[in-house]
Amino acid sequence: MRKSQVIKSVEYLYGSFFLPTVLLGKGMKLVYDPTGSGFGAIYQKVAAKAKDAEVSFVEETAGLFGVIALKKAASVLVVGPFVNKTTDASSIDQIIHEYGLPWEDKERLSGFLASIPSYSLNRFLSYMALVEFLFNQKSVSMLDYFEAAAPSFVRRIGQRQSEDIVRETNYGHGTYNIEREILSYVRRGDVLGINSLFKKIVKAGPLYEGKLAEDALRQAKNIFIGLVTMIGKAGAIPGNLDIEQTYQLIDLYIQECERCVSINQVNELRYSAVVDFTRRVAELKHPASYSGEVYKSLQYIKSHTNQPIGAMDVVAQSGKSRSVFMAQFKKETGQSIAQYIRRAKLEEAKVLLAYSDTSLQEISDTLYFSSQPYFQNLFKKEYGITPLQYRKKHHRE
């Protein structure tokens, strides 16, 4: 089989199974990687560790690899990794260290490993048998493959699950708490809060959202469809957005998602959709009786709850005199500026109590209350229960 035929066959195999299969030539030089991952160094070192046999298995931190020598083509195929669990951050660090990869590739490596299909071990070995038959015209017993596939790896799997098979990967769904927090901002129409949350999510690193498809782009689209449907029905409608309008928006966003041709486009659309729903709810919560100056001051207060602002800071944003604007604010909102600031800080405290493990002292300090007892007293006076009672009732756990 000519090299061009081997490359085309590898391309078709990856397009059918989405299991990384990389071709290496003489001197372990990377010839073709259909994933475009850029992690050729991993496959080169795996191939170098393989035994001098037609087929061998190499167990690494990243997972289990299969190596098939293509004697007629003077090259090798490296298949994998087969991963039977979610790769945690410490394992990613170890992989980068073992293979001498740049640390800036950490997030990309995590995403690459997470995109690999959650096959069972016997399906992985069946794929290896198919590849060997196609390229070496040799039929292999699955039992022989199973016994050769890194005995210690198989033994650990057997201890956890069964004697001869690894069931489908149980991917963690670590987005539940984030989803609840997003919904709370959408219902309130808190655009500033939702933007702040997205920044926090980005800094925290990639989320493991469960396996919904074999193809990475289809996976992203499926997640988007579930999210935008949830945001509309459980966030926007409870926030008083018109039901028919909400369903129309959901339909439009799903149609737009299906037109996306890259994961980045889907992710950008995800952000836009959530912010759009939140903004529409916010507009409903902006009474027509609010003047531009008062509405601007309300937004200023909401975006500065973690700063020691006072009434005069808000007045300064209006461009009017103290007495005139304070009277205008009280007339339009029914509260003094100081009362509104306290209420905004207490609303933010509710979010921190429900969606974080931040201590009462830290919440008090973050929101610039004069003291923790003062914060607790204000909270109980406003909501009828203490902060700890609220956390116990509403906490994500």
Side-chain angles (χ1 to χ4, degrees), residues 276-332:
D276 184 27
F277 274 111
T278 308
R279 183 176 291 113
R280 289 172 186 269
V281 173
E283 290 172 354
L284 292 174
K285 296 179 182 295
H286 176 192
S289 58
Y290 282 176
S291 63
E293 297 94 338
V294 169
Y295 183 67
K296 179 181 176 182
S297 69
L298 299 182
Q299 294 301 302
Y300 174 80
I301 292 171
K302 289 179 179 179
S303 64
H304 290 78
T305 53
N306 62 342
Q307 295 182 26
I309 62 170
M312 290 309 299
D313 297 299
V314 179
V315 170
Q317 303 299 312
S318 70
K320 294 186 175 182
S321 68
R322 176 179 178 277
S323 59
V324 169
F325 186 70
M326 291 184 78
Q328 180 183 352
F329 188 98
K330 180 70 177 286
K331 180 180 180 180
E332 294 185 22

Side-chain angles (χ1 to χ4, degrees), residues 173-187 197 201 207 209 223 226-227 230-231 355:
H173 292 68
T175 60
Y176 176 67
N177 297 326
I178 293 293
E179 289 166 359
R180 286 185 61 198
E181 193 167 358
I182 289 173
L183 287 174
S184 73
Y185 284 115
V186 175
R187 293 189 197 107
L197 176 62
I201 292 172
L207 297 173
E209 299 168 292
I223 289 173
L227 176 68
M230 177 190 69
I231 291 299
Y355 302 109

Side-chain angles (χ1 to χ4, degrees), residues 122-190:
N122 68 325
R123 189 174 177 187
F124 172 74
L125 297 179
S126 293
Y127 179 82
M128 287 287 295
L130 170 64
V131 172
E132 185 171 13
F133 181 79
L134 288 175
F135 291 99
N136 290 334
Q137 292 76 51
K138 184 175 181 179
S139 180
V140 180
S141 164
M142 282 294 296
L143 180 59
D144 291 339
Y145 264 177
F146 193 83
E147 291 178 349
S152 63
F153 185 87
V154 173
R155 184 169 59 252
R156 290 200 308 276
I157 292 172
Q159 290 170 351
R160 288 196 306 267
Q161 301 182 41
S162 66
E163 294 181 356
D164 63 352
I165 190 171
V166 178
R167 303 194 182 280
E168 298 299 327
T169 303
N170 181 23
Y171 277 82
H173 292 68
T175 60
Y176 176 67
N177 297 326
I178 293 293
E179 289 166 359
R180 286 185 61 198
E181 193 167 358
I182 289 173
L183 287 174
S184 73
Y185 284 115
V186 175
R187 293 189 197 107
R188 299 201 309 271
D190 190 345

Side-chain angles (χ1 to χ4, degrees), residues 21 24 35 48 55 91 130 170 226 236 256 274 276 291 299 331 389:
T21 305
L24 303 175
T35 69
V55 177
S91 296
L130 170 64
N170 181 23
E256 183 65 25
V274 174
D276 184 27
S291 63
Q299 294 301 302
K331 180 180 180 180
Q389 289 171 333

